[in-house]
Amino acid sequence: MSLTPRQKDVLDFIVSYQKEHGYTPTYGEIAVGIGNSAKSLHGVHRLVQRLKERGYVTSTHGSERSIQVLRTSPVDEPFVKRLAFEIHIIN
């Protein structure tokens, strides 16, 4: 599933921040990094949630700097579903 331009901005910021600092940003740092005020954490939270739902990132609830990037580009969903099915059959 493709990302909106704003979701892509957030993902790109997370990736570049992690490369530069060695750890992932907080929601406040993401807000500032994409040009929002640090007070708009709800909007950043929604964007990160959408990235989670689409399988781009994951995080640990209640833990700062716990965002993990799983992928940075779309994957072929039918291929992934087929692969998951085949892995299930083998195991």
Side-chain angles (χ1 to χ4, degrees):
M1 186 175 285
S2 63
L3 300 176
T4 67
R6 202 65 171 153
Q7 290 166 349
K8 179 81 168 107
D9 290 346
V10 170
L11 183 61
D12 290 345
F13 179 79
I14 293 168
V15 169
S16 66
Y17 187 98
Q18 186 173 16
K19 283 181 184 176
E20 183 177 335
H21 298 279
Y23 50 85
T24 56
T26 63
Y27 284 5
E29 291 163 336
I30 294 170
V32 171
I34 63 170
N36 288 359
S37 74
K39 294 180 181 180
S40 68
L41 296 181
H42 180 69
V44 170
H45 182 268
R46 281 195 335 256
L47 288 163
V48 172
Q49 188 62 36
R50 296 302 172 266
L51 291 173
K52 288 180 189 178
E53 291 169 2
R54 288 173 168 82
Y56 285 86
V57 300
T58 188
S59 67
T60 304
H61 180 70
S63 179
E64 278 196 5
R65 303 191 189 280
S66 68
I67 298 171
Q68 295 178 352
V69 177
L70 302 175
R71 63 189 171 104
T72 57
S73 61
V75 291
D76 180 10
E77 277 192 46
F79 171 77
V80 171
K81 288 179 181 177
R82 188 172 64 248
L83 182 62
F85 177 75
E86 291 173 6
I87 290 171
H88 180 70
I89 297 276
I90 293 170
N91 292 326

